[in-house]
Amino acid sequence: MRNRGIVAAVLAAALLACAGLNGLVTRLRVQNLRHIGEVTEVVEGARPGTVLVRTERSGRGAWWVVDDRGEAVDDADERQVHSAAMEAGCAAGACYRVWRGELKVQRSDNGGSGAYRTVWEIGGPAYAALADGYPGLGERAEHLASRSLVAHAVPGGHVLFVANGRDGLLYRDARDAWHRLGAPDSGEGCCFYTPVPRLSTEPAPFDPTWPAAALAAVVVLLSGLLRRPRSPAGTATVLVLATAAAYGAALAVDVPDAGMLPGLLCGTVWALAIVAAGCVLARRLPAHLREPAPRPAAEPLPPGPHAAESVAP
């Protein structure tokens, strides 16, 4: 009965710890999505080769300097803004325009006088999934749509910047590759981008969840079983600890980024701490869980004729 109580207590504690970690990861992910700055404008920069990007978050606005490489290099203020936001622009013979109310950019190669064709777009199910992923988005056509753009001629071609609302800053480099940079933000070293969610049409990146879970389970199992927990209760306790460590490690490596701090770095530290705790608990099981209960000693035979036969003459 005592063994069962200890196994139940370990299981309850492991479930509570995993539930708490799961809730923390979920809250961090929702909080990150809720606090992504909305890129409302992009205008010509005061310095050559730069643009000014405006973000709004929680009713507060900020301006950022972004260079032609797409790097956020400095913060700015209203006094540096000398241009109005434009819905169309040209550079190096290519003209672009935004399609209001949608995440769409069109291009014309005839100086803007010829037909435009769509060169970048998020639409259909991918757009719907993206919109559903932003908590408190509001009107989609206003907060998740292309609003303004700036085109710059650069050596080897041209670059393009597009303000895409909650989807952040869109950047087209000189090699005609499109990048959803996210929203500029401040941190140590001044500036970085808060990344935007992955589109449902994009290939899934490497998922470390299952490898982390399997590795954590194996390490804790080996750590506990090498001490030879021969009792059923001890084996059950080690299995509970290994399962909890696997689940905790899987949650830890899924921790989202926190500002400039990569989520994978934080998650790796958490996963290592979880596995270490599981190993310590598995190796320090109480003695009555590691060893089977001793067998009762055999009772001596009652005196009788057989006893006399065993006595030497």
Side-chain angles (χ1 to χ4, degrees), residues 163-181:
N164 273 349
R166 287 292 290 275
D167 202 54
L169 182 66
L170 176 65
Y171 173 66
R172 184 252 189 214
D173 64 26
R175 298 187 299 273
D176 198 25
W178 297 83
H179 309 272
R180 298 163 62 228
L181 298 180

Side-chain angles (χ1 to χ4, degrees), residues 33 36-40 53 55-56 102-105 120-123 126-127 129-131 133-134 137 140 142-147 162-171 178-184 193-200 202:
L33 289 174
I36 289 179
E38 183 172 345
V39 176
T40 57
V53 178
T55 61
E56 292 184 4
E102 298 182 24
L103 288 175
K104 181 187 294 188
V105 180
W120 183 89
E121 179 182 15
I122 298 176
Y127 180 86
L130 181 64
Y134 284 113
L137 175 62
R140 296 182 178 184
E142 178 183 357
H143 300 286
L144 193 60
S146 302
R147 298 187 178 186
V162 185
N164 273 349
R166 287 292 290 275
D167 202 54
L169 182 66
L170 176 65
Y171 173 66
W178 297 83
H179 309 272
R180 298 163 62 228
L181 298 180
Y193 286 102
T194 303
V196 291
R198 180 181 63 87
L199 297 177
S200 60
E202 295 176 342

Side-chain angles (χ1 to χ4, degrees), residues 249-312:
L251 291 174
V253 296
D254 197 33
V255 172
D257 296 340
M260 297 184 68
L261 192 62
L264 187 58
L265 176 62
C266 299
T268 300
V269 174
W270 285 7
L272 291 175
I274 290 170
V275 173
C279 290
V280 170
L281 292 174
R283 291 182 63 84
R284 293 182 177 274
L285 292 177
H288 67 278
L289 290 181
R290 291 197 306 269
E291 301 295 338
R295 296 180 179 179
E299 297 182 359
L301 292 174
H306 299 285
E309 295 176 0
S310 61
V311 178

Side-chain angles (χ1 to χ4, degrees), residues 43-121:
V43 300
E44 287 285 356
R47 303 197 303 264
T50 64
V51 296
L52 294 176
V53 178
R54 178 176 174 82
T55 61
E56 292 184 4
R57 184 175 61 187
S58 302
R60 302 179 60 183
W63 287 92
W64 308 91
V65 180
V66 177
D67 63 20
D68 281 346
R69 300 170 300 169
E71 299 288 340
V73 294
D74 202 357
D75 55 359
D77 56 43
E78 297 283 352
R79 294 172 296 179
Q80 296 176 258
V81 180
H82 305 296
S83 304
M86 304 292 291
E87 296 183 1
C90 301
C95 291
Y96 295 89
R97 70 182 183 187
V98 299
W99 191 270
R100 296 200 59 132
E102 298 182 24
L103 288 175
K104 181 187 294 188
V105 180
Q106 295 187 318
R107 172 175 172 170
S108 171
D109 294 320
N110 298 318
S113 59
Y116 278 83
R117 69 183 190 280
T118 299
V119 290
W120 183 89
E121 179 182 15

